Amino acid sequence: MPHDSITPAATDPSLLRNFCIIAHIDHGKSTLADRMLQLTGVVEERLMRAQYLDRMEIERERGITIKSQAVRMPWRVAGQSYALNMIDTPGHVDFSYEVSRSLAACEGAVLLVDAAQGIEAQTLANLYMALENDLNIIPVLNKIDLPAAQPEKYAEELAGLIGGEPEDCLQVSGKTGQGVEALLDRIVAEVPHPAGDATGPTRAMIFDSVYDTYRGVITYVRVVDGKIEPRDRIEMLSTRAKHELLEIGVIAPEPTRTKGLGVGEVGYLITGVKDVRQSRVGDTVTTTEREATQALPGYRDPQPMVFSGLYPIDGSDYPALREALDKLKLNDAALVYEPETSAALGFGYRCGFLGLLHLEIVRERLEREFDLALISTAPNVVYTVVKEDGTELQVTNPSEFPDGKIAEVREPVVKATILLPSDFVGPVMELCQSRRGNMLGMDYLSTERVELRYSLPLAEIVFDFFDQLKSRTKGYASLDYEPTEEQVANLVKVDILLHGDQVDAFSAIVHRDQAYDYGVKMAGKLKDLIPRQQFEVPIQAAIGSRIIARETIRALRKDMLAKCYGGDISRKRKLLEKQKEGKKRMKAIGRVDVPQEAFIAALSSDGSTKKK
């Protein structure tokens, strides 16, 4: 179908349909989007490639969507041409704020569920989000061409969740294209057209922004009220920043310049600005000619949940790391970082991430796109420490933990939703209990699938909770969590001392009940990793001034008596005494050299690079 069929639909909101696809990771969102692009003719066969909308190499390699992508497609029903705006959203819990803004830009959602796996926790979380936004939900079972598919069973589960009949669930295959035409027809029939005040003040919502090396920041918006025209001067309501508009258009699926955007339309704006922080996801855009005073609801700054230090293995790469983070920040407004130094690791940055996957993606992009070799310290969360005099401190790093008397320590808590087969309820409850979890509720979605709801400290989730969950349920459980509030906990800082000197890189804030285990484990690990010195080196774990665990690295001893054949014992004793004095002096003035490999092994094998 030719591209020019898009233009007439742009003028009339009743011919527009805005929808997004929500699903769990690996349920086939991007593949279904590919079939839609082919069917509507916006991508020619010769240009088509798998995961067309996933532009990043990591997205294509891992088969996940990290950035929301919008595309406009023409579709003809009963002789009438419609314009369909589709927003392909990420499926992972770390990017749920982006998903919520994408949902706010739509009137309908395609709820995609793998017919071989059924509903997962993230699908459920996104479904509740879509229902809160009053979106029209179209239930779709994907991958029905798989031998393991059970469409009838999961259609009943879906119908029970959203209220409806199992027959209402469309059955499609993103791979073969079966049922996709019927889905497009149903989107036109069931998704309401956008409603807005065409003559009122201009209000458009930013649902994504990306940085282009040549053109600056490209901002993706959905117009709610009024219109934006090519020569307008635009203003961001949260930052009050004003910019000249250089270009305006729609994505079809490559950027196509238009004569403006009206009510309900989804498109892009280019202002030539070089800082992506000027275009925050969820912010409201207005024009100086038709200025709005009331912002659209739902905007908030993305809050980092997990903090980790990033250090270059080669210290001379520090300026390159700073430049790389600055550039990456242009494409990822949720990334926050500040310089920090470590006695052990040198100069680096303390970075805040939305979650473990976000941490992993950022680290991988820094290493690939900017050719850096990095160490990341074990991830930890933000604690609030209240001292006895009433002053409050935000602690993102164990080295910031204050000495002296502390009234209380508060840690962030999340509400976790776990979906799993009913056979594994026992092991999962045991896991949650061991991680200081409180059970909030339990529901059977069907005879075989259970939804567990727990309140858990975030610090217990960011390490290896997800790995443990997968291994205890043979890979069948799925996890979704959202932050709730802070709770007072009995937390202490465990320091690791090498030869009496504190090594800040190995310090950790843990619950008092787990402090001993952490100390013993870390001391044992370092004993194996640090090479023997010419003198005896004690490795100690301490809470304040109290030692809770100790290991000793034995000294290397030269055989002083090798050249003494027989003879008087006093000569041998004299040599041994001389060696003993030398060792004592060396112990007093000696310093322990910890090789870089030992740091990397101790920090990374401790869970800092766990897959999520």
Side-chain angles (χ1 to χ4, degrees), residues 102 107 297:
S102 301
E107 278 77 36

Side-chain angles (χ1 to χ4, degrees), residues 70 148-149 173 291 367 436 464 473 484 494 525 554-555 565 577-578 582 603:
S173 165
E291 192 170 351
E367 289 183 339
R436 301 189 282 133
D464 58 348
T473 59
T484 48
V494 178
K525 196 179 285 185
R554 302 306 302 262
Y565 298 107
E577 286 297 324
K578 194 175 168 188
L603 292 172

Side-chain angles (χ1 to χ4, degrees), residues 330-569:
L330 293 172
N331 257 334
D332 187 352
L335 173 66
V336 293
Y337 55 92
E338 57 184 37
E340 77 166 356
T341 53
S342 156
L345 301 172
F347 291 99
Y349 282 92
R350 188 101 199 133
C351 303
F353 305 94
L354 297 173
L356 281 194
L357 180 79
H358 190 214
L359 184 158
E360 210 178 310
I361 296 291
V362 167
R363 182 178 163 178
E364 202 166 318
R365 285 185 71 185
L366 287 169
E367 289 183 339
R368 275 190 191 191
E369 294 172 24
F370 303 98
D371 200 22
L372 293 165
L374 301 171
I375 304 174
S376 63
T377 61
N380 57 305
V381 299
V382 189
Y383 299 99
T384 305
V385 179
V386 183
K387 293 166 119 182
E388 285 215 324
D389 60 4
T391 52
E392 286 197 7
L393 290 170
Q394 295 287 316
V395 174
T396 60
N397 187 352
S399 62
E400 296 169 4
F401 201 84
D403 298 324
K405 295 198 171 175
I406 289 163
E408 63 177 31
V409 184
R410 296 198 297 271
E411 62 177 348
V413 179
V414 296
K415 179 185 168 194
T417 306
I418 303 165
L419 264 78
L420 67 156
S422 49
D423 307 354
F424 302 113
V425 169
V428 171
M429 286 173 80
E430 190 186 322
L431 171 68
C432 293
Q433 239 84 47
S434 71
R435 297 303 175 96
R436 301 189 282 133
N438 288 323
M439 192 169 182
L440 301 174
M442 174 174 168
D443 290 319
Y444 276 81
L445 299 176
S446 66
T447 49
E448 289 143 26
R449 284 171 76 75
V450 181
E451 178 190 335
L452 283 176
R453 292 184 302 285
Y454 266 90
S455 168
L456 285 158
L458 180 60
E460 298 287 350
I461 284 185
V462 299
F463 244 42
D464 58 348
F465 181 81
F466 195 69
D467 289 10
Q468 291 287 332
L469 182 67
K470 285 287 183 193
S471 62
R472 290 187 188 213
T473 59
K474 300 183 181 171
Y476 283 113
S478 62
L479 168 75
D480 177 68
Y481 60 85
E482 55 175 305
T484 48
E485 75 283 301
E486 288 188 322
Q487 71 176 17
V488 176
N490 189 2
L491 299 170
V492 290
K493 177 188 172 192
V494 178
D495 290 316
I496 302 294
L497 310 175
L498 275 184
H499 197 48
D501 297 329
Q502 188 179 320
V503 185
D504 60 345
F506 300 130
S507 298
I509 297 169
V510 292
H511 194 269
R512 194 177 287 277
D513 296 348
Q514 294 158 354
Y516 174 72
D517 289 343
Y518 176 80
V520 168
K521 191 172 78 177
M522 205 56 166
K525 196 179 285 185
L526 289 172
K527 183 188 175 188
D528 297 336
L529 291 168
I530 296 173
R532 287 170 71 183
Q533 314 284 321
Q534 290 285 341
F535 51 93
E536 191 177 84
V537 178
I539 303 170
Q540 297 164 311
I543 299 173
S545 58
R546 189 165 67 89
I547 305 297
I548 56 168
R550 173 180 169 136
E551 292 282 354
T552 306
I553 300 173
R554 302 306 302 262
L556 281 171
R557 290 197 64 141
K558 186 178 172 187
D559 189 358
M560 298 290 287
L561 309 181
K563 56 184 183 288
C564 298
Y565 298 107
D568 188 4
I569 185 71

Side-chain angles (χ1 to χ4, degrees), residues 127 131 137 139 156-166 168:
L127 168 65
L131 290 170
I137 311 287
E156 277 189 35
E157 203 173 283
L158 258 176
L161 256 183
I162 60 174
E165 297 304 317
D168 295 341

Side-chain angles (χ1 to χ4, degrees), residues 229-412:
E229 291 176 329
R231 298 313 303 170
D232 279 346
R233 190 169 161 76
I234 63 168
E235 183 182 349
M236 312 291 176
L237 280 186
S238 79
T239 57
R240 290 287 166 197
K242 294 187 170 114
H243 311 291
E244 291 293 340
L245 201 52
L246 302 182
E247 188 181 317
I248 185 169
V250 295
I251 319 281
E254 300 308 320
T256 310
R257 203 185 276 247
T258 62
K259 292 176 182 170
L261 295 174
V263 169
E265 288 196 81
V266 173
Y268 69 91
L269 310 173
I270 297 176
T271 56
V273 174
K274 295 288 183 194
D275 185 358
V276 85
R277 281 165 289 194
Q278 301 273 341
S279 296
R280 296 173 175 175
V281 172
D283 199 358
T284 304
V285 178
T286 186
T287 59
T288 49
E289 288 81 13
R290 298 171 294 280
E291 192 170 351
T293 49
Q294 186 83 29
L296 294 162
Y299 169 71
R300 63 180 170 85
D301 277 331
Q303 290 297 315
M305 304 268 282
V306 175
F307 285 82
S308 175
L310 287 180
Y311 295 87
I313 287 178
D314 180 356
S316 62
D317 280 344
Y318 176 71
L321 174 61
R322 183 183 61 219
E323 204 174 301
L325 281 166
D326 285 343
K327 284 182 178 168
L328 200 58
K329 174 81 179 171
L330 293 172
N331 257 334
D332 187 352
L335 173 66
V336 293
Y337 55 92
E338 57 184 37
E340 77 166 356
T341 53
S342 156
L345 301 172
F347 291 99
Y349 282 92
R350 188 101 199 133
C351 303
F353 305 94
L354 297 173
L356 281 194
L357 180 79
H358 190 214
L359 184 158
E360 210 178 310
I361 296 291
V362 167
R363 182 178 163 178
E364 202 166 318
R365 285 185 71 185
L366 287 169
E367 289 183 339
R368 275 190 191 191
E369 294 172 24
F370 303 98
D371 200 22
L372 293 165
L374 301 171
I375 304 174
S376 63
T377 61
N380 57 305
V381 299
V382 189
Y383 299 99
T384 305
V385 179
V386 183
K387 293 166 119 182
E388 285 215 324
D389 60 4
T391 52
E392 286 197 7
L393 290 170
Q394 295 287 316
V395 174
T396 60
N397 187 352
S399 62
E400 296 169 4
F401 201 84
D403 298 324
K405 295 198 171 175
I406 289 163
E408 63 177 31
V409 184
R410 296 198 297 271
E411 62 177 348

